[in-house]
Amino acid sequence: MENLSQVKELLKNSKRVCVLTGAGVSAESGIPTFRGGGDSAVWKGMPFEKISSAEMVEKDLDAVWEWFDHRRALYKDCLPNAAHRAFTLWQERFEEFTLITQNVDGLHERAGSREILELHGNINHAKCVDCSGIYRIDPQIVPHQPSECSECGSKLRPDVVLFGEMLPIETFQKAERRSKRCDVFFVVGTSALVYPAIGLADLAKYAGAKLVEVNPEETPMTSFCDFSLCGNAGDIIPLI
Ligand code: NAD
Ligand code: ZN
């Protein structure tokens, strides 16, 4: 693969590297992608845009948890794959390595990546609806525990960015800063349709970084990238 050797060459002289991952990076772990559908597009007759919305947290938090616990049950036996594991080595290899993910499955964390900029939250974290205290919930325990805030006694909600909500501002700003100053920016396993996450790749490119895409299919990003590595993340990332 000509592009692969060029990307390896490029990385030899790169100090700052950013990676943005999407649902495709977890496909080989058995988690359906967004557009891959799976059995997660509709929950009890309700489209997931509705059940995963800020409005539903207000109206029926128990139903929201039921849906998220259903997803947690689907994810709980899914293990990090070769791509997640390879990225844990990248964090040792570069002067500055930034892993940004749109995924909520927590698999980068389970693989051993340290500082992960989770733009859409994490399905195994819960947040107090009043004081915003954050709780880790054990991926193996479904339904989730705890269900109340130990500080103020209020209810907990999934710490996931729902439809109708803003991305976590500090996390996003950090991702922007890192994107603007990296030498190489990787877009891995994302359909490149979800803004503002994919806008980070634009920021990087305009600031002078090389863009590399890893995806078995073409996306709106492909023609904008300097290198396109066509294939599964679990095969390609370890080769890099
Ligand atoms: P998407 O489903 O829109 O696109 C997935 C992309 O991955 C596609 O372009 C597909 O060609 C590619 N792909 C499929 N298999 C791959 C593989 N083995 N290796 C590399 N690429 C592969 O996903 P998205 O762009 O991440 O956007 C969907 C949104 O839904 C995100 O905001 C995300 O938060 C959410 N989501 C998350 C998960 C998860 O946490 N695992 C799962 C589904 C959806
Ligand atoms: Zn609280």
Side-chain angles (χ1 to χ4, degrees):
M1 253 190 186
E2 194 196 341
N3 273 354
L4 181 65
S5 47
Q6 287 173 318
V7 170
K8 284 166 122 172
E9 202 51 41
L10 177 67
L11 287 177
K12 277 189 191 159
N13 304 312
S14 303
K15 292 193 166 74
R16 293 173 168 171
V17 172
C18 282
V19 172
L20 171 68
T21 64
V25 84
S26 296
E28 290 156 87
S29 294
I31 296 185
T33 60
F34 185 53
R35 271 150 259 275
D39 64 352
S40 56
V42 175
W43 168 246
K44 295 192 174 172
M46 212 185 284
F48 74 83
E49 294 95 314
K50 180 124 202 265
I51 186 73
S52 296
S53 69
E55 190 194 340
M56 278 303 282
V57 168
E58 299 277 322
K59 280 214 295 234
D60 192 348
L61 182 55
D62 289 344
V64 173
W65 266 121
E66 216 186 297
W67 152 245
F68 274 96
D69 279 335
H70 164 72
R71 287 180 65 186
R72 292 179 59 251
L74 293 175
Y75 293 6
K76 95 179 160 47
D77 297 323
C78 296
L79 297 173
N81 64 51
H84 298 106
R85 290 196 299 273
F87 287 132
T88 67
L89 303 177
W90 291 30
Q91 71 192 350
E92 314 301 340
R93 164 71 180 73
F94 300 102
E95 202 172 289
E96 182 176 276
F97 176 66
T98 308
L99 182 57
I100 309 162
T101 189
Q102 302 173 83
N103 294 344
V104 297
D105 56 40
L107 288 182
H108 284 302
E109 186 179 37
R110 279 169 84 177
S113 283
R114 288 187 298 268
E115 190 208 23
I116 308 152
L117 301 180
E118 292 176 317
L119 299 180
H120 296 165
N122 185 319
I123 203 161
N124 292 313
H125 294 171
K127 183 167 73 177
C128 173
V129 294
D130 283 325
C131 74
S132 297
I134 301 287
Y135 294 80
R136 278 169 183 276
I137 44 185
D138 186 334
Q140 298 302 322
I141 298 178
V142 183
H144 67 284
Q145 283 293 337
S147 57
E148 278 178 4
C149 177
S150 60
E151 292 299 313
C152 74
S154 293
K155 286 190 172 172
L156 300 181
R157 54 158 283 177
D159 186 23
V160 168
V161 178
L162 302 175
F163 287 89
E165 293 182 327
M166 301 277 292
L167 267 58
I169 185 80
E170 280 176 22
T171 305
F172 192 73
Q173 285 174 341
K174 188 165 194 181
E176 283 183 324
R177 285 196 300 276
R178 297 290 186 90
S179 302
K180 277 190 204 156
R181 69 183 193 212
C182 69
D183 304 314
V184 188
F185 190 102
F186 284 80
V187 185
V188 182
T190 166
S191 58
L193 295 170
V194 180
Y195 273 86
I198 198 65
L200 295 169
D202 301 340
L203 270 185
K205 173 97 177 174
Y206 289 122
K210 296 285 186 210
L211 278 192
V212 183
E213 182 177 60
V214 179
N215 199 309
E217 287 173 28
E218 276 199 18
T219 74
M221 203 73 212
T222 309
S223 59
F224 190 62
C225 286
D226 297 282
F227 300 99
S228 167
L229 302 176
C230 183
N232 290 334
D235 297 328
I236 292 184
I237 301 300
L239 290 179
I240 298 174

